[in-house]
Amino acid sequence: MFKSLAVPEFLAKIDPVKCIRCKRCIQNCGWSVYSWGGDKVLIDTFKCVKCLRCYHYCPEEAITIEDNPVIYRNNANWGYNHIRNIKRQAETGGIPLTGMGSDLPYPILFDHLLIDACQVTNPSIDPLREPMELRTYLGKKPARLEFDKGPDGKLRLKTKMPPQIKLEMPFIFAPMSYGSISLNAQKTIAMAAKELGIVMNTGEGGLHEEIYPYRSNVIVQVASGRFGVNPDYLNAGVAVEIKIGQGAKPGIGGHLPGEKIPLDIAKTRMIPVGTDALSPAPQHDIYSIEDLRQLIYALKEATNYTKPVSVKIAAVHNVAAIASGIVRAGADIVYIDGFRGGTGAAPVIIRDHLGIPIEHAIAAVDDRLRQEGIRNEASIIAAGGIRSSADAAKAIALGADAVALGTSALITMGCTVCGKCYTGNCSWGITTQRPELTVRLDPEVYAERLINLIHAWSHELKEILGALGVNAIESLRGSRERLRGVGLDSQTLDILGVKPAGR
Amino acid sequence: MNHNFQKDISGCGLVGIINRDGKRISGSFACNSLCLMNDRGNGLGAGYAAYGIYPEYKDLYAFHIMYDELGAKTDTEEYLKKNYHIEKKEPMPTASVPTIKIHPIIWRYFIKPLPEKAERELANLGDDDFVVHTVMKINSEIDGAYVFSSGKNMGAFKGVGMPIEIARFFRLEEYEGYIWTAHTRFPTNTPGWWGGAHPFTLLDWSIVHNGEISSYGINKRYLEMYGYKLTLLTDTEVVAYLFDLMVRKHGLDTATACTVLAAPFWKRIDDMPEDEKEAMTALRMVYGSALMNGPFSILFGHSKGLVGFNDRIKLRPLMAATKGKTVYMASEESAIREICPSPEKVWAPRAGEPVIVELEDSR
């Protein structure tokens, strides 16, 4: 076998003077970059993904990971990734895979939107002194309510409210299956969701028995592979989600190879050990909107109309019309995943070139549902590239009810967005099933960090609301008047329904 | 849905008087009270609404329309003729006020929708709905025409000027009403446009309002989903339409509508008895986009009563007082004492808790 002509991305280096030969780097690296050479640590830098596990666990700070200066000759057209992928494909004939959301420099509209603040004519509100409300309910809302008056003169609700998911803050955790992430990672998220009063989502990998205690904070997903789906599963959580697509790989199925299906995952997914877990590209009983309607109602029947049904789609060109169809088909929640959304594994070419950004998608969907007078019929969850509470605030102002967080949640567990989730070697124990790696991720410890993050973002969101002079999240939701665009062309502003700064 | 609008911002002073026994009083009371608060306005808008002023035409819709030029009047009247029986039309009686040099052409009409309307696709609309449609249509489609009053046995009078000037211009001392609301305005970003003054009215709702609705953006988009066209771009217009939607169309009572606009906090709702908690939670879930967030005090008049209320944390002033069968509300206690020197009871309504006053014979 000849040496690969694909140049390594990173150079792992160990300072031989500082190194005390403790071999912790060898132990910690999930990619086998390091090995013991008898008197020193040997480095196979081709394998390095710059996840920085070794760097953090080196007691002597002897390790540095540098970007390889020996990259190809500078060329604005033939970039490093183009040349490297061609070389890899020439060597393997395969489709290069990747993990996480696209890292290409497409415009990020969140970074071109600015939020308003109060001065003089309306007062800002201090969230440290005044109540500031983030509570959000996801689900179908009737257009109007009817009441009776009780004997005490108080209102009695006559209208039957459809089932709702109650969130103490407008965040949920994005679907990440057991299989794509470790059970410890899933447990971390479940514990945090419970503590925070929000929800997590099983993804398509079924519901492990150790997640059952958190069921009142769990959305169970039904995807094209139908893994782990049975009546108990459907009724286990607070809602059921039909996964049609994913922002990172719209129109693409999934394939968890048999070697990654040990007994525990096999049990959870309800498939034989060692068989490939195939998620077909489409759901094989959904070839049209009326088919979707049948599945939505089949799930509502199976759950006795006690749980909202969510439909998750990737943001694609025609997303507004698709979302409208989904709402008319009976969905209570539409989950829209922008093209920058994360993934455990996707072909690079698909991740980087299919779909549209979440910002456009939220605006288009919210507008369409309002034009059709059905915005109340379903809640909108926005996902795919929410990096901060500011992104969340902007997504909500554009029209989302809540945002879903995937990558940011994993970052609290040590993830550095190295993008190698698909290898199953995650040194942080997140996107791997290797027991020696997953054991590193202590759910108790990391749940606290995740809770810290969401608390911090909630505080920031409250500060933003206070500056806006409002004290409830519903006054920001869809209030695009409080956003201004900078450096956006007039057509984009028009699509977003946002004025340019200065107007 | 157009997002390229310039929103109107203003501060204000307001006054409301209601005689619960239906006794009619002259407009000079409201004017005198309001004039005490001249420093709450800057001469760029004042206005009044009065109920009970047209008893002889009480079954007809009284349209007050301002025109920028006669062409707009021709277009408007042509439309009205096709769809309405016009009992009477006349120029609005006005007096010459030296400081008011330029003003629109103002006419009033006492009318009723024809059973056979020219707009056949709207033939099945009830009279009130058709009048709302007419107001929206004229205001948004006929350039230079603006219907600023459209209720029965009530009317709005407003324009650019100080309260005393507007009262004299419209000869308000000659009108007698059982409810009066009045407003002086301190706009910060709009040139003086007569239509931009308060009150804002629709059918027999009238609103005077002090404040800025920080949730305007979503309130507007919420109303647009139900077919309202927000042509004035004022917060006040939003209030009027939200009331119209919730009370007239959705059948909520006034108190419940106020609960939506200045919703109780979740913390309070969570401590309520189960039934009430369920009702309040549903109200907030369903009408969250109608929550008016930001500082305001509002007087909301209708043919059977007057409601005054504040935002949920009372960021703008509102005082109330009673004497006999009369209830007064105003931005400042001094404005009440100016016309009622010794009220029996004076209080500051709490944040979000409406003062609802109804006529004695309204039940």
Side-chain angles (χ1 to χ4, degrees):
Chain A
M1 202 176 89
F2 73 103
K3 191 183 163 199
S4 171
L5 291 177
V7 179
E9 279 182 275
F10 309 107
L11 301 181
K13 291 181 178 173
I14 297 178
D15 184 331
V17 180
K18 285 185 180 170
C19 176
I20 54 167
R21 276 70 174 168
C22 69
K23 303 180 197 168
R24 271 184 223 182
C25 49
I26 301 172
Q27 200 180 36
N28 270 283
C29 182
W31 279 271
S32 313
V33 171
Y34 306 105
S35 54
W36 186 238
D39 57 345
K40 62 173 183 179
V41 177
L42 303 177
I43 303 171
D44 180 357
T45 204
F46 274 85
K47 292 176 177 161
C48 178
V49 301
K50 201 179 181 178
C51 77
L52 300 183
R53 178 82 188 183
C54 58
Y55 171 84
H56 287 294
Y57 281 81
C58 174
E60 299 301 315
E61 292 175 4
I63 297 178
T64 49
I65 311 288
E66 290 172 2
D67 292 350
N68 188 358
V70 189
I71 54 163
Y72 307 110
R73 188 177 170 281
N74 244 343
N75 186 321
N77 188 35
W78 286 95
Y80 170 80
N81 279 328
H82 292 119
I83 300 174
R84 186 163 184 270
N85 281 341
I86 288 174
K87 289 188 184 292
R88 283 164 69 195
Q89 287 182 298
E91 288 163 14
T92 64
I95 296 176
L97 294 179
T98 186
M100 287 294 160
S102 179
D103 55 359
L104 292 190
Y106 287 103
I108 299 171
L109 264 57
F110 285 134
D111 296 340
H112 293 268
L113 291 170
L114 290 171
I115 302 169
D116 194 16
C118 290
Q119 298 287 291
V120 185
T121 56
N122 52 351
S124 46
I125 302 171
D126 185 348
L128 297 177
R129 292 162 189 268
E130 304 279 351
M132 204 49 82
E133 301 183 317
L134 298 181
R135 190 184 294 179
T136 301
Y137 287 89
L138 300 180
K140 188 187 297 290
K141 315 285 189 298
R144 53 191 287 186
L145 290 173
E146 286 185 61
F147 294 96
D148 286 328
K149 276 260 161 75
D152 52 354
K154 303 280 189 195
L155 295 178
R156 297 274 182 281
L157 186 65
K158 212 164 123 188
T159 311
K160 173 137 176 50
M161 281 297 287
Q164 306 284 327
I165 306 173
K166 178 180 169 188
L167 305 176
E168 288 304 336
M169 43 208 80
F171 302 112
I172 68 167
F173 294 122
M176 289 177 280
S177 70
Y178 176 36
S180 75
I181 59 173
S182 64
L183 185 59
N184 276 349
Q186 223 184 37
K187 219 189 285 177
T188 303
I189 295 169
M191 290 167 79
K194 192 180 177 88
E195 173 69 24
L196 291 161
I198 60 175
V199 294
M200 56 94 73
N201 187 314
T202 58
E204 63 170 321
L207 183 63
H208 192 274
E209 58 185 13
E210 287 184 33
I211 308 293
Y212 258 87
Y214 308 95
R215 53 192 288 178
S216 52
N217 299 84
V218 170
I219 297 175
V220 296
Q221 201 181 62
V222 175
S224 62
R226 300 287 155 88
F227 300 118
V229 175
N230 64 21
D232 290 342
Y233 172 77
L234 295 175
N235 282 287
V238 290
V240 182
E241 179 167 280
I242 300 170
K243 178 191 175 182
I244 300 294
Q246 188 177 336
K249 42 178 177 178
I252 295 291
H255 180 178
L256 196 57
E259 54 267 31
K260 292 189 183 172
I261 313 283
L263 179 63
D264 205 36
I265 290 185
K267 261 165 63 183
T268 310
R269 295 203 173 212
M270 301 181 185
I271 54 174
V273 177
T275 54
D276 290 2
L278 289 169
S279 300
Q283 304 228 1
H284 281 325
D285 50 3
I286 303 178
Y287 282 79
S288 64
I289 192 74
E290 60 271 25
D291 290 347
L292 175 68
R293 182 183 178 82
Q294 290 185 355
L295 181 58
I296 289 173
Y297 278 91
L299 295 176
K300 288 190 176 191
E301 286 287 336
T303 54
N304 204 18
Y305 296 86
T306 57
K307 315 214 185 264
V309 172
S310 165
V311 174
K312 176 181 173 180
I313 50 166
V316 291
H317 300 186
N318 211 13
V319 66
I322 296 165
S324 160
I326 289 170
V327 176
R328 290 181 187 283
D332 303 287
I333 298 166
V334 185
Y335 181 127
I336 312 165
D337 197 14
F339 94 109
R340 283 191 306 271
T343 176
V348 177
I349 213 78
I350 299 291
R351 183 195 73 171
D352 288 347
H353 301 281
L354 273 63
I356 64 169
I358 189 61
E359 300 93 319
H360 299 76
I362 305 167
V365 169
D366 180 65
D367 269 351
R368 178 66 66 91
L369 297 184
R370 286 178 191 281
Q371 281 157 12
E372 297 186 8
I374 53 174
R375 179 62 184 84
N376 58 296
E377 295 284 319
S379 298
I380 298 175
I381 298 173
I386 307 292
R387 304 156 300 170
S388 67
S389 59
D391 287 354
K394 292 169 190 179
I396 291 168
L398 285 173
D401 289 85
V403 297
L405 310 173
T407 303
S408 53
L410 301 187
I411 291 173
T412 66
M413 300 176 209
C415 168
T416 55
V417 199
C418 76
K420 296 292 187 285
C421 327
Y422 63 97
T423 61
N425 294 326
C426 178
S427 301
W428 294 93
I430 306 166
T431 57
T432 176
Q433 306 305 330
R434 286 163 53 187
E436 75 277 18
L437 299 178
T438 59
V439 74
R440 298 171 177 183
L441 186 63
D442 182 343
E444 300 272 345
V445 172
Y446 284 96
E448 198 176 314
R449 291 184 178 215
L450 184 49
I451 292 163
N452 282 345
L453 174 79
I454 305 301
H455 275 160
W457 283 17
S458 297
H459 284 309
E460 289 173 340
L461 212 45
K462 288 177 178 182
E463 292 288 347
I464 290 171
L465 290 181
L468 284 165
V470 300
N471 48 20
I473 191 76
E474 54 259 47
S475 297
L476 175 64
R477 191 190 310 138
S479 200
R480 302 181 189 175
E481 165 64 6
R482 309 308 295 279
L483 294 177
R484 290 292 185 274
V486 281
L488 294 175
D489 62 81
S490 61
Q491 203 161 18
T492 305
L493 287 167
D494 212 41
I495 291 163
L496 296 179
V498 167
K499 290 182 224 172
R503 284 271 169 78
Chain B
M1 271 182 266
N2 181 12
H3 59 278
N4 277 313
F5 54 82
Q6 277 297 312
K7 191 169 149 289
D8 187 35
I9 298 176
S10 65
C12 320
L14 42 84
V15 170
I17 308 167
I18 174 169
N19 290 324
R20 295 177 55 227
D21 53 3
K23 187 174 155 246
R24 294 159 67 212
I25 54 169
S26 149
S28 47
F29 285 96
C31 176
N32 290 345
S33 174
L34 189 61
C35 285
L36 193 86
M37 300 188 291
N38 270 344
D39 57 346
R40 301 189 75 90
N42 62 1
L44 287 179
Y48 302 82
Y51 291 80
I53 54 173
Y54 298 132
E56 64 275 35
Y57 299 110
K58 66 181 168 47
D59 296 325
L60 299 169
Y61 294 93
F63 271 44
H64 294 182
I65 307 185
M66 50 179 82
Y67 302 111
D68 291 345
E69 33 97 25
L70 285 171
K73 177 166 174 282
T74 316
D75 291 350
T76 305
E77 290 186 353
E78 199 177 316
Y79 174 81
L80 288 179
K81 252 183 256 167
K82 280 188 207 154
N83 293 285
Y84 285 85
H85 162 69
I86 302 177
E87 177 81 19
K88 183 177 183 181
K89 71 167 192 176
E90 62 183 358
M92 180 69 82
T94 56
S96 147
V97 175
T99 44
I100 297 179
K101 295 196 173 63
I102 304 168
H103 62 81
I105 308 157
I106 306 174
W107 279 64
R108 72 179 168 203
Y109 306 79
F110 296 97
I111 59 177
K112 179 166 82 179
L114 290 172
E116 289 289 317
K117 298 169 191 81
E119 292 197 64
R120 303 202 68 87
E121 70 277 14
L122 301 169
N124 293 329
L125 281 187
D127 278 1
D128 280 357
D129 277 328
F130 187 71
V131 168
V132 171
H133 169 79
T134 301
V135 172
M136 299 273 161
K137 191 179 171 76
I138 294 174
N139 291 355
S140 64
E141 290 175 21
I142 302 181
D143 209 22
Y146 170 52
V147 183
F148 65 100
S149 193
S150 54
K152 288 177 179 171
N153 197 15
M154 62 81 66
F157 306 89
K158 63 184 186 180
V160 174
M162 293 305 283
I164 185 73
E165 295 163 352
I166 295 301
R168 283 188 186 145
F169 178 81
F170 283 105
R171 297 158 51 177
L172 289 189
E173 69 282 1
E174 296 171 16
Y175 294 86
E176 289 197 327
Y178 55 85
I179 302 172
W180 282 89
T181 59
H183 185 267
T184 181
R185 195 162 170 254
F186 198 134
T188 51
N189 72 339
T190 40
W193 177 54
W194 280 55
H198 297 204
F200 184 83
T201 73
L202 183 70
L203 297 172
D204 77 344
W205 315 113
S206 73
I207 307 280
V208 293
H209 159 244
N210 169 18
E212 176 166 346
I213 302 175
S214 307
S215 56
Y216 176 83
I218 183 56
N219 299 148
K220 175 177 184 284
R221 296 183 76 229
Y222 174 69
L223 284 165
E224 282 168 344
M225 191 168 112
Y226 292 97
Y228 291 89
K229 289 178 186 150
L230 286 88
T231 50
L232 296 181
L233 310 174
T234 65
D235 293 333
T236 320
E237 183 186 30
V238 165
V239 188
Y241 292 165
L242 285 173
F243 266 112
D244 187 63
L245 176 73
M246 289 189 288
V247 178
R248 192 171 62 84
K249 292 206 173 144
H250 289 186
L252 301 182
D253 62 27
T254 313
T256 309
C258 292
T259 306
V260 167
L261 300 181
F265 285 94
W266 286 119
K267 211 173 146 189
R268 225 184 95 205
I269 294 174
D270 290 345
D271 288 341
M272 288 175 177
E274 207 47 50
D275 283 346
E276 202 184 350
K277 180 174 156 185
E278 189 193 8
M280 286 296 157
T281 303
L283 264 185
R284 286 202 61 180
M285 276 189 218
V286 170
Y287 289 103
S289 299
L291 168 65
M292 293 200 317
N293 220 319
F296 66 80
S297 48
I298 285 172
L299 295 180
F300 157 58
H302 56 101
S303 58
K304 297 192 176 71
L306 180 67
V307 180
F309 70 114
N310 278 117
D311 62 84
R312 58 206 309 239
I313 51 176
K314 193 151 184 162
L315 294 169
R316 287 286 157 94
L318 182 69
M319 293 298 293
T322 55
K323 170 132 190 172
K325 305 260 181 189
T326 308
V327 180
Y328 302 87
M329 291 181 232
S331 300
E332 296 179 15
E333 187 178 333
S334 58
I336 296 175
R337 289 191 184 269
E338 177 73 4
I339 51 170
C340 174
S342 47
E344 287 152 9
K345 186 183 160 199
V346 183
W347 76 100
R350 294 182 56 170
E353 283 181 15
V355 180
I356 299 175
V357 188
E358 292 188 342
L359 293 182
E360 283 174 333
D361 63 355
S362 71
R363 270 158 243 162

